[in-house]
Amino acid sequence: MKAETIISIFNEFDHQFNYKSHSELNSGHINDTFLIKTDGDTNYILQRINEVVFKDVPGLVNNKVLTSNHIRSKYSNASNEALNKTVLSFIKEKNRNSYYHKEGVNFWNVMIFIDDSVTHEIVKDGEIAYEGGKLLGDFLNLTSDFDSSQLIEVIPNFHNMAFRFKQYASSIQSASKSRLTKAADYIQIVADLKEEMHILQNLKDAGEIPIRVTHNDTKISNSLFTKNNKGVCMIDTDTVMPGIIHYDFGDAIRTICNTAAEDETDLSKVEFNLDYYKAYEKGFLEKTQDSLTETELKYLPLAAKTMIFIMALRFLTDYLNNDVYYKISYQEHNLDRAKNQFKLIKSFSKKISL
């Protein structure tokens, strides 16, 4: 994108300092994110939000701002300068909206950049897992008294197991004989696990697990750390919406505790890292122990298994649907991803008793 366009859009926001340079950050798969360097002591993040993926961008941005403002309110004695280094801070557009929109250039929002911070694409030691667990726990604890009904559902049915099984059943009906044959072993695993994998959904639907503010994209790269690997805050809050805490805990564990890449085809390399699980859980519970219900605590281990399964099911569904959702690099890519996640479930089940 041309610098003139970036400058023009950035200047639609009520920031304090002048544009000096920009660089693109490539950590996301959906939105475009730019680091704006200025002539002052504050730099900014300029983000283009993909309105093809997200149907209600004003609602999405409102979710982010409301959640951030609620977290900021918990630190009433802190200065704005201190808060801007530890909590996501959004800058309003000059017309006082929290986003800028112009036909042809999509929706944009601006945040203050937290300097001297780092992210990690993978976990390489238990300390990072522990600090990551504390960050998610802190996020959920600080928002535990926020009325989640004020938030829109950014992606309807995102973790709804009944909905995912409905998609899966449809893919079985339309799949080619060749793909059904290749996926036969995993179709049987899905059938074997179906009842167990609906436990959390059924508890949620019955109101036995409270609906809270949840992050919904808790991979470790969405946790911000100091250069000394101490947790700062959760970032990339585009998918903040009402949910249950098991979605967040389980998906974090899924991404942190796999000893191999998500599409590793040598399944002997795919194991569940129990040490990272224990470290993440320790940090998480340090922050949430007193704010979670007995039922929420009881089902944390099942949350990990369930979120691994839901990704396995989604990859398998897409394979049976001839790869219409996830980008693939070769014909069997989605099946290999599914096999990887099913192997992770097998390893998990050997190491953690439910």
Side-chain angles (χ1 to χ4, degrees):
M1 189 171 289
K2 292 181 179 179
E4 293 82 2
T5 304
I6 295 292
I7 296 169
S8 173
I9 293 167
F10 178 59
N11 285 336
E12 293 291 337
F13 289 86
D14 194 18
H15 48 77
Q16 291 180 278
F17 303 105
N18 297 314
Y19 170 98
K20 187 176 180 181
S21 65
H22 77 272
S23 57
E24 185 168 5
L25 305 178
N26 295 314
S27 58
H29 300 295
I30 296 174
N31 300 324
D32 296 324
T33 306
F34 302 90
L35 170 60
I36 307 293
K37 295 287 186 72
T38 71
D39 60 1
D41 59 6
T42 302
N43 299 314
Y44 299 90
I45 293 291
L46 174 67
Q47 182 185 47
R48 182 188 69 84
I49 301 175
N50 190 325
E51 60 187 324
V52 175
V53 173
F54 299 113
K55 305 303 181 185
D56 182 0
V57 178
L60 178 156
V61 176
N62 191 52
N63 281 7
K64 297 202 290 185
V65 173
L66 286 176
T67 303
S68 181
N69 288 346
H70 184 81
I71 293 173
R72 291 173 73 90
S73 73
K74 297 301 180 77
Y75 301 102
S76 56
N77 294 325
S79 67
N80 272 335
E81 183 181 3
L83 282 172
N84 291 343
K85 294 178 180 179
T86 55
V87 183
L88 296 183
S89 305
F90 293 87
I91 304 299
K92 289 184 179 292
E93 176 242 13
K94 288 179 178 177
N95 290 329
R96 309 309 293 164
N97 290 322
S98 296
Y99 61 88
Y100 171 70
H101 180 246
K102 182 179 179 181
E103 189 174 353
V105 294
N106 298 105
F107 287 86
W108 298 79
N109 70 192
V110 167
M111 294 166 282
I112 292 176
F113 178 68
I114 299 176
D115 286 308
D116 299 319
S117 58
V118 297
T119 58
H120 299 280
E121 290 299 318
I122 59 173
V123 171
K124 293 183 178 179
D125 61 65
E127 183 66 17
I128 295 295
Y130 168 71
E131 288 289 325
K134 286 203 298 183
L135 281 182
L136 176 59
D138 213 25
F139 176 86
L140 294 172
N141 196 39
L142 290 168
T143 58
S144 63
D145 60 344
F146 182 76
D147 180 6
S148 64
S149 68
Q150 295 184 49
L151 307 179
I152 68 160
E153 193 175 9
V154 178
I155 306 175
N157 296 309
F158 190 43
H159 296 312
N160 186 315
M161 189 65 78
F163 174 73
R164 295 302 180 189
F165 262 93
K166 185 177 179 180
Q167 289 182 315
Y168 169 71
S170 177
S171 75
I172 291 284
Q173 294 299 315
S174 62
S176 67
K177 288 184 179 180
S178 172
R179 293 206 171 202
L180 285 170
T181 299
K182 291 177 181 177
D185 290 346
Y186 302 96
I187 291 171
Q188 184 58 52
I189 293 173
V190 170
D192 293 341
L193 291 173
K194 183 176 181 179
E195 185 175 348
E196 183 186 22
M197 292 298 98
H198 276 83
I199 290 174
L200 288 175
Q201 184 68 49
N202 293 339
L203 288 168
K204 176 177 178 284
D205 292 344
E208 295 183 40
I209 299 176
I211 303 300
R212 302 179 182 271
V213 175
T214 47
H215 186 283
N216 294 293
D217 191 8
T218 53
K219 57 181 179 285
I220 198 66
S221 59
N222 284 336
S223 294
L224 201 63
F225 297 86
T226 68
K227 291 179 180 178
N228 293 324
N229 289 330
K230 297 301 179 183
V232 177
C233 66
M234 298 290 293
I235 59 173
D236 196 359
T237 52
D238 291 339
T239 51
V240 164
M241 56 183 162
I244 59 176
I245 59 100
H246 303 83
Y247 298 159
D248 280 357
F249 180 80
D251 202 36
I253 293 300
R254 182 188 76 83
T255 53
I256 287 167
C257 295
N258 193 340
T259 58
E262 199 172 63
D263 55 1
E264 173 60 61
T265 57
D266 182 354
L267 297 183
S268 67
K269 296 180 180 179
V270 178
E271 291 291 335
F272 185 82
N273 190 316
L274 186 60
D275 290 338
Y276 288 177
Y277 175 89
K278 290 179 177 179
Y280 193 91
E281 182 186 49
K282 180 183 177 183
F284 180 80
L285 290 177
E286 280 183 17
K287 295 292 185 176
T288 61
Q289 186 87 48
D290 296 332
S291 63
L292 299 184
T293 68
E294 187 176 324
T295 302
E296 285 176 310
L297 290 167
K298 176 182 176 180
Y299 288 101
L300 281 180
L302 179 61
K305 185 175 182 179
T306 300
M307 294 307 292
I308 300 169
F309 176 85
I310 207 167
M311 281 311 304
L313 187 67
R314 291 178 66 187
F315 286 140
L316 183 60
T317 298
D318 201 33
Y319 173 72
L320 295 173
N321 278 334
N322 292 317
D323 313 305
V324 295
Y325 186 80
Y326 294 108
K327 292 180 180 178
I328 60 170
S329 300
Y330 56 91
Q331 193 170 7
E332 304 293 307
H333 201 168
N334 273 321
L335 181 59
D336 285 339
R337 288 165 169 155
K339 289 178 179 179
N340 182 298
Q341 297 295 291
F342 283 120
K343 172 62 190 302
L344 190 60
I345 290 173
K346 184 177 181 180
S347 177
F348 170 91
S349 298
K350 287 180 179 179
K351 296 179 180 181
I352 296 181
S353 298
L354 298 178

